[in-house]
Amino acid sequence: GLDKNARCIDGFAGMGFGFIEVGTVTPLGQPGNPKPRMFRLPQANALINRLGFNNDGLQAFIANVKRSAVRQPGKPSPIVLGLNIGKNAATPIERATDDYLIGLEGVYPHADYVTVNISSPNTKNLRALQGDEALDTLLAALTAHKAMLEDQQARKVPMFLKIAPDLDDEAISVIAATLQRHGMDGVIATNTTIER
C-alpha cells in the first residue's frame, strides 16, 4: 500500500490544492527527535514542532512520490509538487553539502521545484549554514550540480532556499546577496521560529 507521503500528496491534490511540498527528506532514514514532538497551543491557535527531519530516507521517499497518483507516467500532474531536502542529523556540519547534493540528485527528476532546507531549528547546527561563507560554499555546489542535472535531463527545476524567521537585517542582506550571486530561483520565508 501507499505510505503516508503518497497518501498525503494524493489527499491534498484531491482537495484541490494548487501545490504541495513534502519533506524534509534526508539521504538516510532517521527517527527524528524523541516523541512527543508536536504540541498544540489552542489559546494562541499555534503549534510547536520539534520534529527533527523524521523520515524513511531518500530511496523510500522517491519510491513513495513515484507511487502517488499525481506522478503517474504519461499523465499530466494536477498539482505543482515541491520536494524538500536536508541533511542527516548524524552528518557533521562540515559535510552537510554532501547530503544536499545527494538529495538534489535524487529528487530532481520527480520535483516541480526543490527546497533546500537550511533553517530547521530542530537539527543541531543546521542554521549555521545560513552564515556567509557556509552558505556561499553550499549554494555554489548546489547550483553547479543543478546545472549539470538540467543538461543531463533537459529539464529545468527551480530551486528555492528556505530560511529562518529569526534572522537580523544584516543576515538577511547577506543571504539575499548570496542568493542573487548564485542565481537561485527564489526564497521560502520562513521556517519555524525559536523566539516564541
Side-chain angles (χ1 to χ4, degrees):
L2 298 177
D3 92 331
K4 61 186 176 186
N5 287 327
R7 286 196 312 267
C8 173
I9 293 168
D10 294 342
F12 283 114
M15 287 190 274
F17 280 77
F19 80 95
I20 299 167
E21 182 176 313
V22 291
T24 297
V25 65
T26 54
L28 302 175
Q30 59 184 28
N33 291 324
K35 293 181 180 181
R37 52 191 176 210
M38 193 81 129
F39 308 90
R40 290 187 184 277
L41 296 176
Q43 69 277 17
N45 293 319
L47 290 172
I48 295 173
N49 93 76
R50 298 181 183 139
L51 297 175
F53 294 171
N54 51 302
N55 73 101
D56 293 330
L58 184 61
Q59 293 311 311
F61 180 82
I62 292 166
N64 292 323
V65 168
K66 288 166 67 174
R67 283 200 309 253
S68 73
V70 302
R71 280 297 185 258
Q72 294 307 305
K75 292 184 181 178
S77 178
I79 56 153
V80 173
L81 182 62
L83 303 180
N84 183 317
I85 59 173
K87 81 164 199 74
N88 278 107
T91 301
I93 200 70
E94 306 80 39
R95 291 191 22 241
T97 298
D98 298 341
D99 279 12
Y100 285 98
L101 292 174
I102 291 167
L104 179 62
E105 177 99 19
V107 302
Y108 193 90
H110 314 287
D112 293 318
Y113 70 90
V114 175
T115 298
V116 179
N117 187 348
I118 61 167
S119 54
S120 170
N122 299 311
T123 299
K124 186 179 178 184
N125 296 328
L126 186 71
R127 287 187 172 189
L129 295 174
Q130 295 175 128
D132 189 16
E133 188 176 328
L135 183 60
D136 194 59
T137 300
L138 176 64
L139 294 187
L142 283 169
T143 54
H145 199 62
K146 179 177 174 273
M148 184 209 52
L149 292 168
E150 285 176 8
D151 289 344
Q152 278 181 351
Q153 299 180 26
R155 177 172 186 264
K156 183 176 171 70
V157 176
M159 186 166 59
F160 305 131
L161 185 72
K162 188 171 186 179
I163 62 170
D166 309 311
L167 299 165
D168 60 27
D169 290 346
E170 183 179 348
I172 291 170
S173 294
V174 168
I175 289 171
T178 307
L179 289 169
Q180 289 179 326
R181 185 166 58 253
H182 292 287
M184 291 290 287
D185 297 294
V187 64
I188 297 177
T190 62
N191 211 320
T192 305
T193 184
I194 57 171
E195 292 187 353
R196 289 182 285 289

